[in-house]
Amino acid sequence: MKKTDFFISTALTCLFLAAGNPFSFGQQSQENYQLLLKSGDYQVEANLERFIKAPDINQSEVVEGKYFRLMQFYAIPTQDKKEELQAAGIKFLNYIPNKAYFVSIPAQFDVSKFQDYNIRSIAPIIPEYKLTPVLVNKDYPEWALLDQDHIELIVNFFEGLNKESVITTIEASGFKISDKDTYINSIKIIVHVDQINALAAMPMISYIEPIEPPSEPENLVGRTDHRSHAIAVEYTTGRHYDGTDMNVMMQDDGIIGPHIDYTGRLDQSAVTSNNGNHGDHVAGTIMGAGNLDPLTRGMAFGAKLFVYGSNNNNYNSVPTLYTNDEVRITSKSYSNGCNAGYTTLTQQLDQQVRQ
């Protein structure tokens, strides 16, 4: 084997291992039933037979005719088996490694039917499962604290519930809602830190985390090694995909320019303030014409750019841009997601892309 082949083979092996390749040397045992959650690793006991004999469902747990449980299998069910359960009224909500799901179960469901589906355990979803690590450890981030005792949180509730009913129930329990207008099944709540566990214990709640930190500019590295020179070349017989007739939305730190490289290809009607130069840098990478310096020309130097600010009120505007302005490419420098982990905002934007 040549040295280069060995290097590529080794690199691919490392890549597969890092990505969780099922054939990796670090493959987990099939008997590993540990729950891997953000708040920690947990073990649930096998209890299916006991659950079937005595489901122990408290009426206070029933929300809109269903209750929520962690359902763990001896092996991940096939699609056919999942569809059988779904047809019977069981809704799979979130996958939890290893081999488990958050599910909703109709209150009148005949639990004896569960014995046909290789289920290991049907367990309550305890409050600690629903909390991000900083809340479990009481290491509250400064940006989310309103004072020494009160914190603003993003509170997610299970899919399939009526949002207004959830809000009414939460408010009736004495919690103060600070923002109801979110894209997915979440709201923002101001709560005394001593009441976080009580909030997490409410049966309709699926996950709680602090509000997002304020946006901060990140302009550490800027490279033009994106290889777009191969599809937008100078010579006549080559490809000339320069972004002409394409609309791009950039959400960053505010107004960009004025700059000769952006002239005639900007729509900044949605932004009124300028909080830095990170957006100028990103815009140049996206669609800078290279008029001032041809060596700094952007990837799509013929594209039109719609500029938005990175404040939290703009997240829900993206689907409208897709519909009204034919925006098909977006660039967002939110400082959230990759840096903050998989947050509610990350999930919201993923759902926008899918829908």
Side-chain angles (χ1 to χ4, degrees):
M1 179 186 287
K2 292 190 296 184
K3 189 178 290 185
T4 1
D5 295 336
F6 175 77
F7 172 79
I8 293 170
S9 174
T10 306
L12 287 172
T13 302
C14 292
L15 178 61
F16 279 124
L17 289 175
N21 176 33
F23 301 104
S24 72
F25 303 121
Q27 181 181 4
Q28 292 184 327
S29 163
Q30 288 296 104
E31 282 66 52
N32 185 356
Y33 300 111
Q34 195 172 37
L35 299 181
L36 307 179
L37 295 167
K38 271 190 166 184
S39 57
D41 299 346
Y42 301 87
Q43 200 76 37
V44 292
E45 62 175 336
N47 74 342
L48 181 66
E49 294 303 322
R50 188 165 68 251
F51 178 82
I52 289 175
K53 290 178 183 176
D56 191 26
I57 303 159
N58 192 302
Q59 190 58 35
S60 64
E61 296 180 86
V62 178
V63 183
E64 297 178 18
K66 51 203 165 199
Y67 59 97
F68 302 93
R69 286 291 186 269
L70 177 93
M71 181 178 289
Q72 188 173 55
F73 294 79
Y74 284 105
I76 293 175
T78 64
Q79 187 61 30
D80 287 344
K81 288 295 184 183
K82 283 182 69 175
E83 288 175 0
E84 285 181 20
L85 283 167
Q86 288 168 337
I90 307 304
K91 188 165 186 177
F92 290 81
L93 302 172
N94 301 98
Y95 175 73
I96 308 294
N98 287 291
K99 309 178 185 70
Y101 299 83
F102 285 169
V103 299
S104 70
I105 304 173
Q108 305 304 319
F109 185 79
D110 179 4
V111 296
S112 66
K113 295 179 180 178
F114 284 138
Q115 59 193 352
D116 300 327
Y117 292 94
N118 203 26
I119 296 170
R120 178 178 180 270
S121 179
I122 300 177
I125 303 172
I126 64 174
E128 200 169 345
Y129 292 173
K130 305 177 182 182
L131 299 176
T132 194
V134 295
L135 298 180
V136 173
N137 300 326
K138 300 184 178 180
D139 184 19
Y140 308 123
E142 182 181 347
W143 68 79
L145 287 168
L146 304 182
D147 54 41
Q148 190 173 356
D149 298 321
H150 293 85
I151 188 170
E152 189 170 11
L153 304 171
I154 299 173
V155 177
N156 295 268
F157 52 92
F158 286 112
E159 182 185 345
L161 295 177
N162 180 277
K163 185 171 185 175
E164 293 307 315
S165 297
V166 170
I167 289 171
T168 299
T169 301
I170 289 175
E171 287 180 325
S173 300
F175 297 106
K176 180 182 177 182
I177 296 177
S178 57
D179 186 3
K180 305 174 185 179
D181 186 22
T182 51
Y183 187 75
I184 56 175
N185 297 333
S186 69
I187 52 180
K188 291 180 181 177
I189 293 181
I190 296 172
V191 61
H192 193 287
V193 292
D194 292 342
Q195 293 297 309
I196 293 174
N197 284 337
L199 178 63
M202 298 185 74
M204 72 284 294
I205 302 301
S206 61
Y207 192 68
I208 304 174
E209 63 185 348
I211 59 169
E212 305 98 348
S215 299
E216 294 182 6
E218 292 183 347
N219 196 13
L220 302 177
V221 188
R223 299 291 183 228
T224 54
D225 57 352
H226 38 65
R227 309 287 291 177
S228 69
H229 65 288
I231 59 171
V233 299
E234 298 293 337
Y235 52 90
T236 306
T237 56
R239 299 182 178 93
H240 300 279
Y241 299 124
D242 63 358
T244 298
D245 296 327
M246 293 298 297
N247 294 335
V248 181
M249 184 275 268
M250 181 190 73
Q251 200 163 357
D252 211 290
D253 56 11
I255 295 169
I256 66 170
H259 196 287
I260 192 173
D261 281 5
Y262 309 144
T263 303
R265 294 180 294 117
L266 281 182
D267 184 326
Q268 303 204 78
S269 58
V271 61
T272 56
S273 61
N274 185 14
N275 300 306
N277 60 10
H278 187 261
D280 295 80
H281 156 76
V282 174
T285 303
I286 294 172
M287 46 73 78
N291 294 322
L292 187 64
D293 180 357
L295 295 178
T296 63
R297 187 163 64 182
M299 285 186 278
F301 48 90
K304 180 177 180 178
L305 191 69
F306 290 78
V307 181
Y308 275 67
S310 61
N311 70 75
N312 296 352
N313 296 327
N314 285 329
Y315 300 143
N316 296 335
S317 301
V318 180
T320 304
L321 283 169
Y322 180 91
T323 304
N324 296 345
D325 297 298
E326 297 185 347
V327 167
R328 295 296 181 265
I329 299 170
T330 62
S331 169
K332 304 174 184 65
S333 298
Y334 289 156
S335 303
N336 189 299
C338 293
N339 300 348
Y342 197 81
T343 65
T344 299
L345 176 60
T346 321
Q347 183 186 29
Q348 172 182 338
L349 300 178
D350 279 350
Q351 289 193 3
Q352 286 182 356
V353 171
R354 289 175 62 86
Q355 293 176 8

Coordinates of all heavy atoms in Angstrom, one line a residue, residues 178-218:
S178 N -43.3 35.0 29.7 CA -42.7 36.3 29.1 C -42.8 36.4 27.6 O -42.7 37.4 27.0 CB -41.3 36.4 29.6 OG -40.5 35.3 29.2
D179 N -43.0 35.2 26.9 CA -43.0 35.3 25.5 C -43.8 34.0 25.0 O -43.4 32.9 25.2 CB -41.6 35.3 24.8 CG -41.7 35.5 23.3 OD1 -42.8 35.6 22.8 OD2 -40.6 35.5 22.7
K180 N -44.9 34.2 24.3 CA -45.7 33.1 23.7 C -45.5 32.9 22.2 O -45.9 31.9 21.7 CB -47.2 33.4 24.0 CG -47.6 33.7 25.4 CD -49.0 34.0 25.5 CE -49.4 34.4 26.9 NZ -50.8 34.8 27.0
D181 N -44.8 33.9 21.6 CA -44.8 33.9 20.1 C -43.5 33.2 19.7 O -42.5 33.8 19.3 CB -44.8 35.3 19.6 CG -44.9 35.4 18.1 OD1 -45.3 34.4 17.5 OD2 -44.5 36.4 17.5
T182 N -43.5 31.9 19.7 CA -42.4 31.1 19.2 C -42.8 30.1 18.1 O -44.0 29.8 18.0 CB -41.7 30.3 20.3 OG1 -42.7 29.6 21.0 CG2 -41.0 31.2 21.3
Y183 N -41.9 29.7 17.3 CA -42.2 28.9 16.1 C -42.6 27.5 16.4 O -43.4 26.9 15.7 CB -41.0 29.0 15.2 CG -41.2 28.4 13.8 CD1 -41.9 29.1 12.8 CD2 -40.6 27.1 13.5 CE1 -42.1 28.5 11.6 CE2 -40.8 26.6 12.2 CZ -41.6 27.3 11.3 OH -41.7 26.7 10.1
I184 N -41.9 26.9 17.4 CA -42.2 25.5 17.7 C -42.9 25.4 19.0 O -43.4 26.4 19.6 CB -40.9 24.7 17.7 CG1 -39.9 25.3 18.7 CG2 -40.3 24.7 16.3 CD1 -38.6 24.5 18.9
N185 N -43.0 24.2 19.6 CA -43.7 24.0 20.9 C -42.9 24.5 22.0 O -42.4 23.7 22.9 CB -44.0 22.5 21.0 CG -44.9 22.0 19.9 OD1 -45.7 22.7 19.3 ND2 -44.8 20.7 19.6
S186 N -42.8 25.8 22.2 CA -42.0 26.3 23.3 C -42.5 27.7 23.6 O -43.1 28.4 22.8 CB -40.5 26.4 23.0 OG -40.2 27.3 22.0
I187 N -42.3 28.1 24.9 CA -42.7 29.4 25.4 C -41.5 29.9 26.3 O -40.7 29.0 26.6 CB -44.0 29.5 26.1 CG1 -44.0 28.4 27.2 CG2 -45.2 29.3 25.2 CD1 -45.3 28.3 28.0
K188 N -41.5 31.1 26.7 CA -40.5 31.6 27.6 C -41.2 32.0 28.9 O -42.3 32.6 28.9 CB -39.8 32.8 27.0 CG -38.9 32.4 25.9 CD -38.2 33.6 25.3 CE -37.3 33.2 24.1 NZ -36.6 34.4 23.5
I189 N -40.6 31.6 30.0 CA -41.2 31.7 31.3 C -40.2 32.4 32.3 O -39.0 32.0 32.3 CB -41.7 30.4 31.9 CG1 -42.8 29.8 31.0 CG2 -42.1 30.5 33.3 CD1 -43.4 28.5 31.5
I190 N -40.6 33.3 33.1 CA -39.8 33.8 34.2 C -40.2 33.1 35.5 O -41.4 33.0 35.8 CB -40.1 35.3 34.4 CG1 -39.6 36.0 33.1 CG2 -39.3 35.8 35.6 CD1 -39.9 37.5 33.1
V191 N -39.2 32.5 36.2 CA -39.5 31.6 37.3 C -38.5 31.9 38.4 O -37.4 32.2 38.2 CB -39.5 30.2 36.9 CG1 -38.2 29.7 36.3 CG2 -40.0 29.2 38.0
H192 N -38.9 31.7 39.7 CA -38.0 31.7 40.8 C -37.2 30.4 40.7 O -37.7 29.3 40.4 CB -38.8 31.7 42.1 CG -37.9 32.0 43.3 ND1 -37.0 31.1 43.8 CD2 -37.8 33.1 44.1 CE1 -36.4 31.6 44.9 NE2 -36.9 32.9 45.1
V193 N -35.9 30.5 41.0 CA -35.0 29.4 40.8 C -35.4 28.2 41.6 O -35.2 27.0 41.2 CB -33.5 29.8 41.0 CG1 -33.0 30.7 40.0 CG2 -33.4 30.3 42.5
D194 N -36.1 28.4 42.7 CA -36.5 27.3 43.6 C -37.7 26.6 43.0 O -38.1 25.5 43.5 CB -36.9 27.8 45.0 CG -35.7 28.3 45.7 OD1 -34.5 28.0 45.4 OD2 -35.9 29.1 46.7
Q195 N -38.3 27.1 41.9 CA -39.5 26.5 41.3 C -39.2 25.8 40.0 O -40.1 25.3 39.3 CB -40.6 27.6 41.1 CG -41.1 28.2 42.4 CD -41.9 27.1 43.2 OE1 -42.7 26.4 42.7 NE2 -41.5 27.0 44.5
I196 N -37.9 25.7 39.6 CA -37.6 25.1 38.4 C -38.0 23.6 38.3 O -38.6 23.1 37.4 CB -36.1 25.2 38.1 CG1 -35.7 26.7 37.8 CG2 -35.7 24.4 36.8 CD1 -34.3 27.0 37.6
N197 N -37.7 22.9 39.4 CA -38.1 21.5 39.4 C -39.6 21.3 39.4 O -40.1 20.3 38.8 CB -37.5 20.8 40.7 CG -36.0 20.6 40.5 OD1 -35.5 20.5 39.4 ND2 -35.3 20.4 41.6
A198 N -40.3 22.2 40.1 CA -41.8 22.1 40.0 C -42.3 22.3 38.6 O -43.3 21.6 38.2 CB -42.4 23.1 41.0
L199 N -41.7 23.2 37.9 CA -42.1 23.4 36.5 C -41.8 22.2 35.7 O -42.6 21.8 34.9 CB -41.3 24.7 36.0 CG -41.5 25.0 34.5 CD1 -43.0 25.4 34.3 CD2 -40.6 26.2 34.1
A200 N -40.6 21.6 35.9 CA -40.2 20.4 35.1 C -41.1 19.2 35.4 O -41.2 18.3 34.6 CB -38.7 20.1 35.4
A201 N -41.7 19.2 36.6 CA -42.6 18.1 37.0 C -43.9 18.1 36.3 O -44.6 17.1 36.3 CB -42.7 18.1 38.5
M202 N -44.3 19.3 35.7 CA -45.6 19.3 35.0 C -45.6 18.3 33.8 O -44.6 18.3 33.0 CB -45.8 20.8 34.5 CG -45.9 21.7 35.7 SD -46.4 23.4 35.1 CE -48.1 23.2 34.8
P203 N -46.6 17.5 33.7 CA -46.6 16.4 32.7 C -46.5 16.8 31.2 O -46.0 16.1 30.4 CB -47.9 15.7 33.0 CG -48.8 16.7 33.6 CD -47.8 17.6 34.4
M204 N -46.9 18.0 30.9 CA -46.8 18.5 29.5 C -45.5 19.0 29.1 O -45.2 19.2 27.9 CB -47.9 19.5 29.2 CG -47.7 20.9 29.8 SD -48.0 21.0 31.6 CE -49.7 20.7 31.6
I205 N -44.6 19.2 30.0 CA -43.3 19.8 29.8 C -42.3 18.8 29.3 O -42.2 17.7 29.9 CB -42.7 20.5 31.0 CG1 -43.7 21.6 31.5 CG2 -41.4 21.1 30.7 CD1 -44.0 22.7 30.5
S206 N -41.6 19.0 28.2 CA -40.6 18.0 27.7 C -39.1 18.4 28.0 O -38.3 17.6 28.2 CB -40.8 17.8 26.2 OG -40.6 19.0 25.5
Y207 N -38.8 19.7 28.0 CA -37.4 20.2 28.2 C -37.4 21.6 28.5 O -38.2 22.4 28.1 CB -36.6 19.9 26.9 CG -35.1 20.0 27.1 CD1 -34.4 19.1 27.9 CD2 -34.4 21.1 26.6 CE1 -33.1 19.2 28.1 CE2 -33.0 21.2 26.8 CZ -32.4 20.3 27.6 OH -31.0 20.4 27.8
I208 N -36.4 22.0 29.4 CA -36.3 23.4 29.8 C -34.8 23.7 29.8 O -33.9 23.0 30.2 CB -36.7 23.5 31.3 CG1 -38.2 23.0 31.4 CG2 -36.6 24.9 31.8 CD1 -38.7 23.0 32.9
E209 N -34.5 25.0 29.3 CA -33.2 25.5 29.2 C -33.2 27.0 29.4 O -34.3 27.6 29.2 CB -32.5 25.1 27.9 CG -33.2 25.8 26.7 CD -32.6 25.3 25.3 OE1 -31.5 24.7 25.3 OE2 -33.3 25.6 24.3
P210 N -32.1 27.6 29.8 CA -32.1 29.1 29.9 C -32.3 29.7 28.5 O -32.1 29.1 27.5 CB -30.7 29.4 30.4 CG -30.2 28.1 31.0 CD -30.8 27.0 30.2
I211 N -32.8 31.0 28.5 CA -32.9 31.7 27.2 C -31.5 31.8 26.6 O -30.5 31.7 27.2 CB -33.5 33.1 27.5 CG1 -32.6 34.0 28.4 CG2 -34.9 33.0 27.9 CD1 -33.0 35.4 28.5
E212 N -31.6 32.1 25.3 CA -30.3 32.2 24.5 C -29.5 33.4 25.0 O -30.0 34.4 25.4 CB -30.6 32.4 23.0 CG -31.5 31.4 22.4 CD -32.9 31.8 22.3 OE1 -33.3 32.9 22.9 OE2 -33.7 31.2 21.6
P213 N -28.2 33.3 25.0 CA -27.3 34.4 25.3 C -27.4 35.5 24.3 O -27.9 35.3 23.1 CB -25.9 33.8 25.3 CG -26.0 32.7 24.4 CD -27.4 32.1 24.5
P214 N -27.1 36.8 24.6 CA -27.1 37.9 23.6 C -26.2 37.5 22.5 O -25.1 36.9 22.7 CB -26.6 39.1 24.4 CG -26.8 38.7 25.9 CD -26.6 37.2 25.9
S215 N -26.5 38.0 21.3 CA -25.7 37.8 20.1 C -24.3 38.5 20.3 O -24.3 39.7 20.8 CB -26.4 38.2 18.9 OG -27.5 37.5 18.7
E216 N -23.3 37.9 19.9 CA -21.9 38.5 20.0 C -21.2 38.3 18.6 O -21.4 37.2 18.0 CB -21.1 37.9 21.1 CG -21.6 38.2 22.5 CD -20.7 37.6 23.5 OE1 -19.6 37.1 23.2 OE2 -21.1 37.7 24.7
P217 N -20.5 39.3 18.1 CA -19.8 39.1 16.9 C -18.7 38.1 17.0 O -18.0 38.1 18.0 CB -19.3 40.5 16.5 CG -19.2 41.2 17.8 CD -20.3 40.6 18.7
E218 N -18.5 37.2 16.0 CA -17.4 36.3 16.0 C -16.7 36.4 14.6 O -17.2 35.9 13.6 CB -17.9 34.8 16.2 CG -18.4 34.6 17.6 CD -18.8 33.1 17.8 OE1 -18.9 32.4 16.8 OE2 -19.0 32.7 18.9

